[in-house]
Amino acid sequence: MDYITPFIKWLLTCPYVRKNKVFANALQAQKDNIEIVTQQISRSQDKCYIDGSVLHRIVFTVFDYKCISFNQLVKTMVDKNENVANLLETRQLIDWIATQRKSGNYPDFGTNCIVQDVYTEYSSPSTPSVDNSATPAIARYSLPIICEVLDYGS
């Protein structure tokens, strides 16, 4: 079963994602690039049911690349700090996923699969790495997204 293509198509309906350059599993780290990284579906986390269906927990991670500054935080300027603004901008994807969750708008995996839930692992993005060799420096914001799919097989 292809879980990747329908998920990426769904994610591309997000206005925030759509306005950036989007890549799957590989990219050149540049400002406003988004990378969607697929991870293995762990069979150890599958839940098998008596009717033969299987609940998969699929993890996708979205990396959002933004220019950052190394300016000291000034108490009176926190809301104008480029790094804080980038973090809040990246958070738009988390908010969009929460909205889709409330309305039940999920990826379409076909007639044999029902999406049980899609949610972000965390309520804010993290910054796992910064590329100081780039000019200007680029931060990589990380957003793990969980997609729970009940697969009835073919």
Side-chain angles (χ1 to χ4, degrees), residues 94-141:
I94 293 171
D95 296 338
W96 181 82
I97 289 171
T99 300
Q100 302 315 299
R101 187 179 192 198
K102 283 181 184 175
S103 66
N105 181 23
Y106 295 131
D108 182 3
F109 293 107
T111 57
N112 293 327
C113 294
I114 297 173
V115 176
Q116 299 292 299
D117 205 356
V118 176
Y119 54 94
T120 55
E121 182 77 16
Y122 306 103
S123 59
S124 66
S126 68
T127 314
S129 66
V130 174
D131 181 358
N132 291 321
S133 67
T135 306
I138 301 285
R140 181 174 92 168
Y141 295 92

Side-chain angles (χ1 to χ4, degrees), residues 10-76:
W10 175 76
L11 204 57
L12 286 171
T13 65
C14 172
Y16 176 73
V17 171
R18 196 173 45 242
K19 77 176 187 172
N20 293 283
K21 292 182 239 169
V22 181
F23 300 84
N25 292 332
L27 70 89
Q28 183 177 3
Q30 292 180 345
K31 177 185 176 202
D32 298 326
N33 282 356
I34 289 181
E35 177 183 24
I36 302 167
V37 177
T38 58
Q39 297 178 7
Q40 300 91 347
I41 300 171
S42 174
R43 292 187 192 276
S44 67
Q45 292 188 9
D46 282 353
K47 292 182 182 174
C48 298
Y49 296 101
I50 197 161
D51 66 356
S53 63
V54 178
L55 181 65
H56 300 292
R57 184 177 186 268
I58 306 164
V59 180
F60 297 90
T61 302
V62 173
F63 292 106
D64 192 356
Y65 294 81
K66 299 283 180 203
C67 292
I68 61 164
S69 70
F70 293 97
N71 298 327
Q72 174 182 333
L73 280 171
V74 179
K75 291 177 188 173
T76 58

Side-chain angles (χ1 to χ4, degrees), residues 78-95:
V78 170
D79 57 345
K80 295 181 182 177
N81 180 276
E82 181 180 9
N83 299 344
V84 173
N86 285 341
L87 189 65
L88 294 174
E89 182 180 0
T90 301
R91 185 168 164 48
Q92 290 179 50
L93 178 55
I94 293 171
D95 296 338

